[in-house]
Amino acid sequence: MATVDAVLNLARSQLGVYEKPDNSNRTPYSEWYGLIGPWCAMFVSWVFYHAGLPLPASTAKGFSYTPSGAAWFQRRGRWTRVPRPGYVVFFDWPDDGVNRISHVGIVESVRADGAVVTIEGNTGSAHGGMVMRRVRRTGIVGYGIPDYKSEADWFAKATPAELERVVRHVLNEGTAYGQKDWAGTSKAILASVQQLHNLIRQEVIPRLPK
């Protein structure tokens, strides 16, 4: 399973790729997906698929319709309003006459002023569309959280003591509901509580209290 660095490095390697012929929507990503049309989502799908982390929102390859990609992340509980590198960012441009999510990219970094640096396909150029690095501040609806390797491995590697510490932290050192003893608590329940912790804190990788 892919890491954030693997996804971002692959996305960066595509910077400068553009439509040939101009204004044709013909790119390596649309050709690979098998659909000639607006290709921002096909670019995102191509990157994640070839990095080893497909986003099968519509097909095994990914998605071409941006609202379908956003809905897939939302259904899986992997949606946030807080950006992180490697997240999938969805846009609804204000006053563009399209009242829905209509563009998507990959977060490369987050600036101190809150602006998001992205790598996007099918964004403005003299060729009709290009893979470009952009700085975005408006139109952001939310972020899809891919299943990166670092998160997927955490529970497999965590010791029972580490899991207990996470749960105690979520429930304020065990004071909520009078819970004091976690012996015998199943890993599935601990995973559910950790997911709740992630949603509340809007984090992905658990950060254990010291």
Side-chain angles (χ1 to χ4, degrees):
M1 191 174 290
T3 63
V4 172
D5 284 344
V7 166
L8 291 180
N9 287 337
L10 183 54
R12 292 180 188 117
S13 76
Q14 302 302 298
L15 289 167
V17 175
Y18 59 86
E19 298 175 15
K20 296 180 181 179
D22 290 354
N23 300 297
S24 66
N25 282 320
R26 290 190 175 274
T27 65
Y29 324 108
S30 54
E31 297 283 357
W32 164 80
Y33 195 85
L35 177 65
I36 305 303
W39 50 276
C40 60
M42 290 183 269
F43 166 71
V44 170
S45 296
W46 183 95
V47 169
F48 277 89
Y49 185 92
H50 286 88
L53 183 56
L55 306 175
S58 299
T59 74
K61 290 183 175 181
F63 60 100
S64 61
Y65 184 56
T66 50
S68 296
W72 181 74
F73 280 111
Q74 291 165 351
R75 286 195 305 271
R76 299 174 69 242
R78 303 191 66 80
W79 184 260
T80 183
R81 296 297 302 276
V82 179
R84 297 283 188 276
Y87 284 10
V88 179
V89 53
F90 291 88
F91 301 93
D92 179 4
W93 306 123
D95 305 319
D96 67 349
V98 182
N99 189 27
R100 63 166 175 80
I101 291 171
S102 57
H103 190 59
V104 64
I106 302 169
V107 177
E108 183 179 28
S109 62
V110 182
R111 292 187 173 178
D113 65 358
V116 179
V117 180
T118 64
I119 299 175
E120 303 169 18
N122 198 22
T123 191
S125 81
H127 302 283
M130 181 184 287
V131 180
M132 298 177 66
R133 181 177 282 114
R134 310 283 276 185
V135 179
R136 301 295 193 185
R137 294 180 173 84
T138 61
I140 298 171
V141 177
Y143 304 88
I145 306 171
D147 296 320
Y148 284 113
K149 183 177 181 179
S150 56
E151 181 189 6
D153 285 353
W154 189 82
F155 275 108
K157 295 179 179 179
T159 66
E162 288 174 329
L163 291 169
E164 180 178 339
R165 288 171 59 203
V166 170
V167 176
R168 287 188 181 278
H169 182 56
V170 172
L171 297 181
N172 193 22
E173 295 300 323
T175 58
Y177 310 109
Q179 181 69 30
K180 294 293 184 182
D181 184 2
W182 297 98
T185 303
S186 75
K187 200 167 187 177
I189 293 173
L190 296 176
S192 297
V193 175
Q194 178 60 41
Q195 184 180 24
L196 176 62
H197 174 260
N198 291 345
L199 291 172
I200 293 171
R201 296 283 300 277
Q202 295 185 314
E203 295 175 352
V204 177
I205 301 172
R207 297 180 182 181
L208 298 175
K210 295 181 180 180

